[in-house]
């Protein structure tokens, strides 16, 4: 799949998608050090552009016809480390939505801080994206459960044209690792503990057997005398005895590999580029989940409560289980794709050769199973007062 990265920074997100198997064809950022770093490590397809200029960039992107647009619009207006006043940066979330409406790629991924989900900017962007026909999976993912030695919780919104909301939630949950990745998995910390500058009154000293806290620009600063004089009561060892991580080590925690080159950037810029990134390991997992669905090798999970719903409507437990497995069979034939309208879903099913070769009776069972599941989803959504089939999930 051909991918474009908007607000690409130094390329954390692009790196992950590239590793997952995407072909990065274009990337944009308005900050010279970001573009220079991206160019040195990922490729020359990166452009220094102000993405507020939708008139110029919109037609360029539309001509490229990418299969997917990914991006992390700036988050300073929302982030816990920022001021939380919605201003120009939040407007970039709206710009991201405008590009989706202009280009209409099959897929998109937008990443941001958790706080963005409740913002006016996302509410506006969401409205545009829904009107353009995208089904959404909106999740908060903790990177430490996706191969990254860092407890970094990010809002990850995945959209695909024509899908039902929530279509990828179960696949993302299934991609979660069995245990959290910890700092000791990627770095050698002889002291066994490291200090990382906390914000918001948190603990400064961590064991290498834990994930690091979310990386910020100042993460690798030494403890100030204020901290040393009044350390956090839960620090396992005194901050003076803990390792201070180097820039390379912090970059590794953020998913930049050894040997990553930072282009024409000041020391402060480099720390900022690192802090801005989406950990490449998390991006890679998200990319793989998308490719698997695109290839039809995963299907959305049918909710367990569907069985009870069927039984409440008079089906025996065995008959309810049969409907569920027929629903799964239909979904596999559909290559995991869902449709917002059941009529479209049945039409898509009937166009599939493997379906046409089934016995008429089996075909009828599969159609009925999909219709029942659609009724179930609609009833659930109405009960919650949500727009039909809107499902927002929280994976981690
Ligand atoms: C959160 S960072 C993106 C990090 C990137 N996804 C990564 O994984 O490394 C947001 C980026 O948006 C860029 N940016 C901010 N305003 C912009 C604008 N008007 N046009 C283009 N890029 C902009 C910043 O320079 C910054 O690199």
């Amino acid at each position: 799949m051909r991918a474009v990265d908007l607000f690409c920074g130094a390329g954390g997100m692009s790196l992950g998608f590239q590793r997952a198997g995407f072909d990065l064809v274009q990337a944009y950022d308005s900050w010279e050090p970001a573009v220079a770093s991206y160019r040195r490590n990922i490729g020359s397809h990166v452009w220094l552009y102000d993405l507020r200029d939708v008139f110029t960039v919109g037609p360029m992107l539309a001509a490229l016809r990418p299969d997917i647009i990914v991006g992390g619009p700036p988050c300073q207006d929302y982030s816990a480390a920022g001021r939380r006043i919605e201003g120009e940066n939040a407007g970039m979330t709206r710009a991201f939505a405008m590009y989706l409406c202009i280009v209409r790629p099959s897929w998109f991924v937008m990443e941001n801080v958790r706080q963005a989900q409740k913002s006016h900017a996302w509410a506006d962007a969401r409205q545009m994206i829904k009107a353009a026909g995208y089904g959404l999976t909106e999740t908060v993912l903790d990177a430490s459960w996706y191969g990254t030695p860092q407890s970094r919780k990010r809002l990850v919104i995945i959209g695909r044209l024509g899908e039902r909301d929530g279509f990828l939630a179960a696949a993302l949950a299934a991609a979660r690792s069995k245990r959290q990745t910890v700092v000791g998995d990627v770095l050698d910390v002889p002291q066994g503990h490291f200090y990382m500058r906390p914000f918001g009154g948190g603990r400064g000293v961590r064991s290498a057997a834990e994930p690091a806290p979310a990386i910020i620009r100042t993460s690798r600063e030494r403890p100030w005398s204020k901290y040393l004089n009044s350390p956090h009561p839960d620090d396992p060892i005194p901050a003076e005895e803990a390792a201070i991580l180097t820039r390379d080590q912090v970059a590794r925690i953020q998913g930049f590999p050894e040997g990553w080159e930072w282009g024409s950037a000041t020391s402060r810029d480099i720390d900022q580029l690192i802090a801005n990134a989406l950990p490449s390991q998390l991006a890679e997992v998200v990319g793989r989940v998308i490719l698997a669905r695109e290839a039809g090798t995963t299907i959305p999970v049918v909710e367990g409560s569907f069985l009870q719903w069927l039984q409440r409507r008079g089906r025996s437990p065995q008959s309810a289980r049969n409907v569920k497995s027929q629903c799964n069979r239909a979904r596999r034939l559909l290559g995991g794709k869902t449709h917002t309208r059941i009529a479209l879903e049945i039409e898509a099913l009937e166009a599939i050769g493997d379906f046409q070769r089934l016995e008429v009776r089996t075909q009828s069972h599969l159609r009925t199973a999909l219709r029942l599941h659609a009724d179930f989803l609609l009833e659930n959504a109405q009960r919650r007062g949500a727009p039909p089939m809107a499902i927002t999930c929280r994976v981690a």
Side-chain angles (χ1 to χ4, degrees):
M1 287 171 79
R2 297 166 70 251
V4 163
D5 187 350
L6 301 181
F7 309 99
C8 63
M13 196 170 187
S14 276
L15 177 65
F17 275 83
Q18 208 172 45
R19 282 181 171 162
F22 287 79
D23 179 15
L24 266 297
V25 292
Q26 206 89 286
Y28 296 88
D29 202 286
S30 62
W31 191 29
E32 184 81 55
V35 171
S37 298
Y38 189 104
R39 186 170 290 129
R40 278 200 193 191
N41 300 280
I42 308 266
S44 58
H45 54 263
V46 61
W47 295 89
L48 183 73
Y49 261 96
D50 186 336
L51 287 170
R52 284 175 301 185
D53 187 359
V54 178
F55 286 161
T56 305
V57 183
M60 281 162 69
L61 285 185
L64 257 178
R65 299 167 62 87
D67 302 300
I68 182 166
I69 292 183
V70 303
C75 56
Q76 288 92 334
D77 288 346
Y78 315 122
S79 80
R83 287 175 303 125
R84 295 204 204 189
I85 301 164
E86 286 193 38
E88 194 158 286
N89 275 330
M92 296 304 142
T93 299
R94 294 186 184 91
F96 188 90
M98 288 179 201
Y99 286 116
L100 295 178
C101 296
I102 295 168
V103 182
R104 282 175 57 83
S106 303
W107 288 85
F108 79 84
V109 179
M110 193 188 91
E111 168 272 324
N112 218 300
V113 292
R114 279 179 294 169
Q115 293 82 348
Q117 199 169 20
K118 299 215 162 69
S119 67
H120 298 301
W122 171 238
D124 290 350
R126 193 179 194 284
Q127 201 167 34
M128 288 187 253
I129 293 169
K130 289 303 295 173
Y134 287 92
L136 301 179
T137 293
E138 299 176 55
T139 68
V140 175
L141 301 179
D142 180 338
S144 65
W145 291 98
Y146 292 85
T148 312
Q150 184 189 165
S151 294
R152 190 179 186 88
K153 294 200 173 99
R154 306 300 286 184
L155 172 65
V156 177
I157 298 168
I158 303 176
R160 190 183 188 190
L161 277 175
E163 290 273 0
R164 270 183 208 152
D165 288 342
F167 67 98
L168 210 58
L172 284 171
R176 214 175 117 121
S177 54
K178 298 272 176 294
R179 69 165 179 90
Q180 283 175 296
T181 302
V182 299
V183 168
D185 290 331
V186 298
L187 296 181
D188 183 23
V189 185
Q191 297 89 329
H193 293 85
F194 61 96
Y195 171 83
M196 200 168 266
R197 195 177 154 205
F199 62 86
R203 184 157 57 96
V205 180
R206 314 242 159 191
S207 156
E210 295 176 73
I215 300 293
I216 56 173
R217 184 179 56 78
T218 52
S219 282
R220 65 187 184 86
E221 282 182 2
R222 298 186 162 276
W224 292 355
S225 52
K226 188 172 163 210
Y227 189 89
L228 295 174
N229 292 335
S230 153
H232 195 280
D234 296 334
D235 278 356
I237 62 167
E240 301 89 320
E241 293 169 23
I244 305 291
L245 299 184
T246 64
R247 174 184 291 137
D248 282 352
Q249 288 176 317
V250 173
R252 293 282 304 285
I253 290 175
Q254 257 312 38
F256 290 105
E258 242 172 306
W260 191 268
E261 292 179 25
W262 304 101
S264 63
T266 64
S267 176
R268 191 180 198 278
D269 288 346
I270 297 174
D271 288 333
Q272 189 66 60
L273 287 167
I274 294 170
N276 280 353
L278 179 69
S280 62
Q281 306 94 324
L282 171 59
E284 183 176 343
V285 177
V286 171
R288 286 188 193 285
V289 167
I290 289 173
L291 287 178
R293 181 57 55 83
E294 175 72 15
T297 55
T298 65
I299 58 170
V301 165
V302 174
E303 305 72 5
S305 52
F306 183 44
L307 290 176
Q308 284 104 56
W309 183 86
L310 288 164
Q311 286 176 48
R312 279 201 303 278
R313 289 171 61 120
R315 300 235 168 203
S316 68
Q318 184 54 50
S319 161
R321 281 196 294 276
N322 289 346
V323 171
K324 186 178 170 188
S325 72
Q326 283 150 359
C327 190
N328 280 329
R329 188 170 176 190
R331 286 258 167 270
R332 279 193 294 275
L333 285 170
L334 285 162
K337 183 110 176 63
T338 63
H339 294 75
T340 41
R341 287 178 31 222
I342 184 63
L344 291 178
E345 199 149 271
I346 301 288
E347 204 179 297
L349 188 67
E350 287 174 345
I352 294 165
D354 283 351
F355 177 81
Q356 291 161 3
R357 284 185 282 280
L358 294 173
E359 275 180 28
V360 171
R361 213 168 98 93
T362 311
Q363 289 181 350
S364 163
H365 285 326
L366 299 196
R367 279 193 210 94
T368 303
L370 283 184
R371 286 201 181 98
L372 284 168
H373 189 240
D375 287 349
F376 159 78
L377 290 178
L378 188 64
E379 208 176 289
N380 271 354
Q382 282 168 346
R383 218 186 25 246
R384 289 199 316 265
M389 292 174 188
I391 302 164
T392 301
C393 63
R394 183 161 286 266
V395 174

